[in-house]
Amino acid sequence: MDFLRPASWEEALAAKAEHPTAVPIAGGTDIMVEINFDHRRPQYLLDLNRIGLLSEWHVGEETVQLGASVPYARIMENLRTELPGLALASHTVASPQIRNRGGVGGNLGTASPAGDAHPALLAAGCQVEAESVRGSRLIPIDDFYTGVKRNALEPDELIKSIHFKKADGPQQYSKVGTRNAMVIAVCAFGIALHPETRTVRTGIGSAAPTPIRAKAAEDFLNAALEEGGFWDNGKIITPSIAKQFAELVSGAANPIDDVRGTASYRRHAVGIMARRTLGWTWESYRGNGRSTEGVA
Ligand SMILES: Cc1cc2nc3c(=O)[nH]c(=O)nc-3n(C[C@H](O)[C@H](O)[C@H](O)COP(=O)(O)OP(=O)(O)OC[C@H]3O[C@@H](n4cnc5c(N)ncnc54)[C@H](O)[C@@H]3O)c2cc1C
């Protein structure tokens, strides 16, 4: 196995163009497990650890650009306000050691349906910046996951960064696991309120072949919130709206039975998480200076 160690982003892109089968290694917390268990024996490993820009983030007026290799620990420490859903999801990843090494670029590279970043990324509605020697492109997160552990990257592309709009409303993340740490999700759910566009976005993890949004549930909730004037009057969301939202989220899931849980449990659990996280985010939205009159 050849170990390629580019010293710059340009060198990394050139190496990937020359060796499209080269496997990038960032934190190594996914790829080294595969190599150690002999599940994979790439001819070339492309080490990205000398490329400083991948570990940087930039907070602009309205946007955040997150380098692909920024570890979860840095996201939790530094981007809690701008990317609250992703910061909460980062908290649930593995252990402090893994959170110090692993990052969102690696989660996207692996594209496991159980990756914890994905529901938060889908709910936030970000774009993945992929680059090759041919140029750069922004892939909407909705188009990124193409199959089980497959993504939209071309063989010569690397993930440079992830582009977000700063959160303009509350976001939440919830995960079911067999214990509180060092656990791959049985299933997970992310939600983001976007008051500026008066929309709600969702993300479901570990309950379908790829991370997915619950689009019918979003459409239903967006219409119900608009119709009831909820964004303006800040009323409590009625139990019937919350229940229907949860049922539609459950219906969007397409899980399998496996060692971590049954399909029916997962379908049930994502509904429960959807109802709870909707309640938490909406309470937070109402508490931010909106009218709290009129309990429906
Ligand atoms: C003990 C343990 C517990 C874990 N628990 C969790 C958990 O709770 N939740 C969770 O989501 N994950 C968990 N993981 C998996 C892993 O930590 C995450 O998926 C992490 O985000 C991977 O990031 P990394 O930088 O280490 O990726 P790496 O292992 O370096 O790479 C992962 C994949 O992404 C590709 N890649 C990396 N960077 C780029 C790039 N810039 N461009 C293109 N491709 C790239 C690699 O080629 C590889 O295919 C766990 C892993 C271990 C070992």
Side-chain angles (χ1 to χ4, degrees):
M1 186 187 305
D2 282 353
F3 196 65
L4 309 172
R5 292 206 76 203
S8 69
W9 181 240
E10 290 69 29
E11 277 182 36
L13 295 179
K16 192 74 172 112
E18 193 181 342
H19 307 288
T21 58
V23 175
I25 176 166
T29 61
D30 269 328
I31 195 67
M32 286 313 298
V33 175
E34 289 187 37
I35 291 172
N36 286 339
F37 279 99
D38 224 4
H39 292 160
R40 206 164 170 184
R41 195 127 296 263
Q43 194 181 352
Y44 298 98
L45 267 186
L46 178 59
D47 178 19
L48 301 177
N49 282 283
R50 290 167 78 196
I51 299 160
L53 66 84
L54 294 179
S55 303
E56 294 169 2
W57 64 92
H58 301 283
V59 178
E61 280 277 291
E62 295 185 347
T63 56
V64 178
Q65 193 178 339
L66 180 74
S69 300
V70 175
Y72 294 112
R74 299 288 90 71
I75 296 171
M76 289 156 52
E77 282 162 16
N78 299 288
L79 294 167
R80 193 176 292 276
T81 310
E82 295 82 1
L83 308 176
L86 185 61
L88 286 167
S90 300
H91 264 283
T92 76
V93 174
S95 61
Q97 293 87 343
I98 300 288
R99 292 195 290 269
N100 278 333
R101 290 292 308 164
V104 175
N107 222 226
L108 287 166
T110 300
S112 159
D116 280 309
H118 310 312
L121 300 181
L122 285 165
C126 59
Q127 293 179 300
V128 179
E129 184 179 4
E131 199 164 306
S132 70
V133 291
R134 295 174 293 114
S136 157
R137 63 183 178 127
L138 289 174
I139 307 170
I141 191 68
D142 293 0
D143 300 336
F144 189 80
Y145 310 105
T146 55
V148 182
K149 297 195 174 183
R150 303 185 78 84
N151 63 41
L153 291 179
E154 296 294 339
D156 63 345
E157 283 182 323
L158 293 171
I159 301 170
K160 186 176 187 184
S161 65
I162 302 98
H163 294 242
F164 298 84
K165 270 197 75 186
K166 275 188 199 170
D168 62 319
Q171 303 183 353
Q172 272 293 344
Y173 182 79
S174 188
K175 170 175 171 178
V176 173
T178 45
R179 56 187 181 185
N180 266 343
M182 283 297 282
V183 71
I184 301 289
V186 174
C187 53
F189 185 75
I191 187 168
L193 306 191
H194 299 283
E196 277 175 24
T197 50
R198 295 176 171 233
T199 51
V200 176
R201 283 179 64 110
T202 60
I204 299 176
S206 221
T210 66
I212 53 167
R213 282 169 67 196
K215 285 194 182 143
E218 292 176 14
D219 290 346
F220 160 76
L221 184 60
N222 289 334
L225 294 179
E226 202 56 54
E227 204 175 308
F230 285 90
W231 291 108
D232 294 321
N233 62 31
K235 283 188 185 174
I236 290 177
I237 290 178
T238 62
S240 69
I241 292 177
K243 184 166 177 279
Q244 197 163 340
F245 173 67
E247 284 170 2
L248 287 165
V249 170
S250 271
N254 180 19
I256 53 167
D257 293 330
D258 69 11
V259 286
R260 297 202 305 278
T262 62
S264 69
Y265 175 76
R266 287 184 157 112
R267 223 175 269 115
H268 174 72
V270 291
I272 302 283
M273 289 189 288
R275 188 168 47 74
R276 286 188 187 160
T277 54
L278 173 62
W280 297 335
T281 48
W282 193 255
E283 273 310 297
S284 170
Y285 173 71
R286 295 172 71 231
N288 277 343
R290 268 88 196 166
S291 162
T292 52
E293 284 170 31
V295 177

